[in-house]
Amino acid sequence: SFFLFILFISSLLSVILSIFILFFFLFFFFLMIRRPPRSTLSSSSAASDVYKRQYQRRVRGVSSCDMAAEKKVLVLFDVDGTLTMPRLGVEQPMLDTLAATRAKVKIGVVGGSDMIKQREQLGEDCTDRFDYNFAENGLDAWKDGVQFAQASFKDYLGCLLYTSD
């Protein structure tokens, strides 16, 4: 009976110690990942380097708005389910929104279908409406209305490994 009592006490102490260790590590883990408020440039956290870089950009006069104004930003849109309903044509309000967005940043479109289907859905002038067009999931690539890259799974893998017919 004394042996069982000792066994019970040691098991209880083991559980208590395990809980204490778990609490200790979780407590310090959350202390280590805390972030300062966005309005501060505190150097007391791992995020301080990010805030310092953002501050340095503002000091030098380069902000994310300036980058967009210089059109260093590319916004890509999916065709089916984003710009249009699947297999349907694009509506005029969406075209107006895209034109307003293109005035601020470069825009592009990515679709799984070929360029013929993109033209059916986005209009015959879709290569002029977007800075970049990527048909067939990027295998057919256009920039400013000019095709600049084209690839084929069939050519890459060979006709024995891939058949699309």
Side-chain angles (χ1 to χ4, degrees):
S1 120
F2 180 72
F3 178 73
L4 289 175
F5 177 73
I6 297 295
L7 184 63
F8 173 75
I9 295 296
S10 66
S11 298
L12 185 63
L13 287 175
S14 175
V15 168
I16 291 171
L17 182 63
S18 298
I19 291 172
F20 176 76
I21 289 172
L22 180 65
F23 173 76
F24 179 79
F25 282 112
L26 286 176
F27 178 76
F28 283 102
F29 173 76
F30 285 111
L31 277 180
M32 289 189 312
I33 64 167
R34 76 176 176 81
R35 299 289 188 255
R38 290 187 183 270
S39 61
T40 67
L41 295 173
S42 171
S43 60
S44 64
S45 74
S48 65
D49 288 341
V50 173
Y51 295 110
K52 287 176 187 174
R53 283 193 300 272
Q54 289 173 350
Y55 178 73
Q56 289 169 353
R57 281 188 192 143
R58 277 185 249 131
V59 168
R60 285 184 274 161
V62 177
S63 70
S64 59
C65 294
D66 293 333
M67 289 175 63
E70 294 173 19
K71 290 197 163 197
K72 290 183 179 181
V73 174
L74 173 62
V75 180
L76 293 173
F77 297 94
D78 180 41
V79 179
D80 289 330
T82 304
L83 298 179
T84 70
M85 295 303 292
R87 300 293 184 186
L88 297 178
V90 67
E91 296 177 359
Q92 190 59 44
M94 180 59 75
L95 292 175
D96 296 341
T97 301
L98 289 169
T101 304
R102 189 175 185 199
K104 297 177 183 175
V105 295
K106 290 185 181 278
I107 62 171
V109 63
V110 179
S113 299
D114 57 16
M115 188 53 79
I116 295 169
K117 187 61 181 170
Q118 272 194 18
R119 284 191 172 109
E120 287 175 11
Q121 289 183 267
L122 301 175
E124 287 298 319
D125 59 346
C126 71
T127 55
D128 298 325
R129 290 181 195 263
F130 296 92
D131 298 298
Y132 292 89
N133 295 74
F134 300 102
E136 300 181 53
N137 296 316
L139 292 176
D140 191 7
W142 296 67
K143 179 182 178 190
D144 298 323
V146 178
Q147 186 178 31
F148 70 91
Q150 187 173 25
S152 166
F153 282 123
K154 191 173 184 180
D155 293 343
Y156 182 75
L157 296 175
C159 63
L160 295 177
L161 296 175
Y162 179 82
T163 57
S164 63
D165 301 327

